[in-house]
Amino acid sequence: LAKTTQPISMDSYEGQEVNITCSHNNIATNDYITWYQQFPSQGPRFIIQGYKTKVTNEVASLFIPADRKSSTLSLPRVSLSDTAVYYCLVGYGGSQGNLIFGKGTKLSVKP
Amino acid sequence: DAGITQSPRHKVTETGTPVTLRCHQTENHRYMYWYRQDPGHGLRLIHYSYGVKDTDKGEVSDGYSVSRSKTEDFLLTLESATSSQTSVYFCAISDIRDRVGYEQYFGPGTRLTVT
């Protein structure tokens, strides 16, 4: 059974590094892991995407171990404006209909 | 921001009435999606389209139908709305190439209340 699992919430302080892990045991061989950020009353916004090992862009890093059964979104030196809900999206093969979002991790950054 | 609009942005309707939500894109992307977002459930795929007149079901398709007669428009219809369909509905688009991935661009959402 395809399932994308992530923690419900996390707390952090400004300036700290935050790591959010997503579990996806049955990810399809050719499918990617994608992370989104969502602020209240807005649609989700793409952050980063990866297939294996490590991917880094200007806002985040994504770490994917060799077995690809999990992935970790890393946000360096968070600020108050990073307070949001973060979703991982994983493909379980076959078609677009097998794309499953996790239920989201609500990150609260405190001063 | 990607050119995606949704209409209406807010709607209140009564149980048993038909409702149609519209998603319009100006990006000429091939794929279009409809999701619903509910507390505790995150985003769940209702239907998606991979081309004009080509659609398929997602995780929670019961009670919903879709149509795509033009590349730029994707309609979601609730034939007979129920209170369980009260939700925020998001449209998304993507332009998948060579199985690179699933970077989706989301619209602003439609808040639907069924009384």
Side-chain angles (χ1 to χ4, degrees):
Chain A
L1 180 64
K3 196 170 184 180
T4 306
T5 305
Q6 50 184 126
I8 295 174
S9 63
M10 295 183 71
D11 292 331
S12 183
Y13 290 93
E14 282 190 294
Q16 289 187 334
E17 178 183 74
V18 171
N19 296 309
I20 305 174
T21 297
C22 181
S23 297
H24 31 78
N25 286 336
N26 298 317
I27 185 172
T29 302
N30 296 326
D31 283 356
Y32 280 63
I33 299 128
T34 312
W35 284 81
Y36 294 82
Q37 176 191 57
Q38 187 180 29
F39 297 110
S41 300
Q42 295 184 22
R45 184 177 67 176
F46 172 86
I47 301 175
I48 196 167
Q49 182 180 81
Y51 180 76
K52 61 180 179 180
T53 63
K54 178 183 176 182
V55 178
T56 297
N57 62 21
E58 63 276 9
V59 297
S61 295
L62 179 58
F63 299 92
I64 304 167
D67 66 8
R68 301 195 342 114
K69 293 184 177 182
S70 66
S71 57
T72 299
L73 173 71
S74 181
L75 303 173
R77 299 180 298 282
V78 295
S79 64
L80 296 176
S81 63
D82 292 316
T83 293
V85 180
Y86 294 83
Y87 292 94
C88 63
L89 173 63
V90 178
Y92 294 93
S95 74
Q96 296 292 301
N98 291 323
L99 291 172
I100 305 293
F101 273 94
K103 294 185 178 181
T105 299
K106 185 172 184 180
L107 174 64
S108 298
V109 180
K110 303 173 183 178
Chain B
D1 288 344
I4 311 170
T5 57
Q6 294 184 230
S7 58
R9 294 292 313 279
H10 302 271
K11 186 171 182 66
V12 179
T13 192
E14 293 183 348
T15 298
T17 60
V19 176
T20 296
L21 308 182
R22 179 182 183 236
C23 178
H24 179 78
Q25 62 149 327
T26 59
E27 306 295 324
N28 200 34
H29 281 3
R30 178 184 176 189
Y31 287 83
M32 299 185 75
Y33 311 80
W34 276 108
Y35 292 91
R36 61 177 290 173
Q37 186 171 44
D38 305 289
H41 291 279
L43 290 146
R44 293 180 292 175
L45 181 65
I46 304 171
H47 283 281
Y48 69 98
S49 169
Y50 48 97
V52 174
K53 298 186 179 180
D54 293 323
T55 65
D56 205 349
K57 297 178 180 180
E59 183 183 2
V60 290
S61 60
D62 288 348
Y64 301 94
S65 63
V66 290
S67 65
R68 191 170 178 195
S69 60
K70 299 183 291 184
T71 299
E72 57 267 34
D73 289 327
F74 193 32
L75 304 180
L76 177 70
T77 298
L78 292 65
E79 299 291 346
S80 178
T82 67
S83 58
S84 65
Q85 294 175 312
T86 293
S87 186
V88 179
Y89 291 86
F90 286 101
C91 174
I93 63 174
S94 75
D95 193 21
I96 300 168
R97 299 173 185 173
D98 300 326
R99 302 179 65 83
V100 171
Y102 305 100
E103 181 176 345
Q104 298 183 25
Y105 302 94
F106 284 79
T110 294
R111 183 172 296 275
L112 176 67
T113 302
V114 183
T115 62

